[in-house]
Amino acid sequence: QVQLVEAGGGSVQAGGSLELSCRASIYTYNMAWFRLAPGKEREGVAVIYTGGGTTYYADSVKGRFTISRDNAKNTVYLQMNSLKPEDTAMYVCAAAFRAVSRPLQATEYNVWGQGTQVTVSS
């Protein structure tokens, strides 16, 4: 059973930065970060494919967030800069063990972490 463990969440003021990490118990293929906020739909934030050379981002975070991976450590990172109050959410890591056609869609992923809370104050 594959396990994903997130870390790095916390509270920060607007304009600040945080880096999240997601460590997998085994090598994973396509990895993504999603976020869930009260009253909002789950949103795909960033995706990185197995080789690390292909990434996708939600329009809402382009230019501010960067996804990366260290395959030797089975870990994916999400560097979040210029954070805004609307970035406040539970950030959840997800993995897909097959090719995905809609990288920011939650239904493409079959393993999920527990999440880490990010709170951005104004």
Side-chain angles (χ1 to χ4, degrees):
Q1 185 74 16
V2 179
Q3 292 185 326
L4 304 177
V5 179
E6 300 98 333
S11 297
V12 65
Q13 289 191 329
S17 299
L18 283 174
E19 183 180 64
L20 307 182
S21 65
C22 172
R23 181 174 57 83
S25 55
I26 62 172
Y27 178 76
T28 55
Y29 292 96
N30 302 313
M31 300 290 293
W33 286 96
F34 287 79
R35 63 186 181 185
L36 301 90
K40 296 183 179 179
E41 293 186 358
R42 179 168 43 185
E43 180 185 20
V45 175
V47 176
I48 188 165
Y49 282 1
T50 180
T54 301
T55 57
Y56 295 92
Y57 295 92
D59 289 342
S60 57
V61 306
K62 281 180 182 176
R64 299 188 298 121
F65 290 12
T66 302
I67 190 170
S68 61
R69 65 190 298 162
D70 184 338
N71 289 337
K73 297 180 179 179
N74 293 338
T75 300
V76 173
Y77 304 92
L78 185 68
Q79 177 66 44
M80 305 185 295
N81 299 327
S82 302
L83 282 161
K84 304 175 181 179
E86 51 264 44
D87 294 319
T88 295
M90 177 72 74
Y91 284 72
V92 185
C93 179
F97 290 88
R98 56 178 176 81
V100 298
S101 57
R102 298 168 299 168
L104 293 175
Q105 293 296 316
T107 52
E108 297 280 3
Y109 301 87
N110 51 359
V111 180
W112 294 82
Q114 294 297 308
T116 184
Q117 178 67 35
V118 171
T119 302
V120 184
S121 58
S122 57

